[in-house]
Amino acid sequence: MPSTSPPSLLSRAAVGFWFLGLGALGLLRGAMRAFRHGAFAADSVTWLWLVGSALLVLAGAIAVARAARRHRDRDSD
């Protein structure tokens, strides 16, 4: 039987990296909206965009960290 190599971190944490990317783009878009007229002026939609994007980045970071920890624990066995 051919031996298969374990999947890489990129493939195991693909959803986490996707969430990180979407959240980063959302934070950028929220900041662009907040600074549209010079000084930081965020309305309720902008705050919702920024908070939602920050939560998406947090969820992505947690998913990537869990995948990395599982891979590290599996390698140490």
Side-chain angles (χ1 to χ4, degrees):
M1 296 211 51
S3 65
T4 59
S5 62
S8 67
L9 177 62
L10 183 62
S11 65
R12 283 181 288 108
V15 172
F17 286 121
W18 185 61
F19 282 172
L20 281 172
L22 283 178
L25 289 174
L27 287 172
L28 178 63
R29 177 67 180 111
M32 287 171 52
R33 183 178 167 98
F35 289 107
R36 180 182 309 171
H37 300 293
F40 185 84
D43 57 353
S44 59
V45 173
T46 304
W47 278 113
L48 186 62
W49 194 287
L50 289 170
V51 170
S53 297
L55 290 175
L56 198 57
V57 166
L58 180 65
I62 289 171
V64 170
R66 283 184 180 175
R69 185 174 58 227
R70 273 187 258 142
H71 181 67
R72 186 176 52 235
D73 291 344
R74 188 176 299 149
D75 285 345
S76 66
D77 289 340

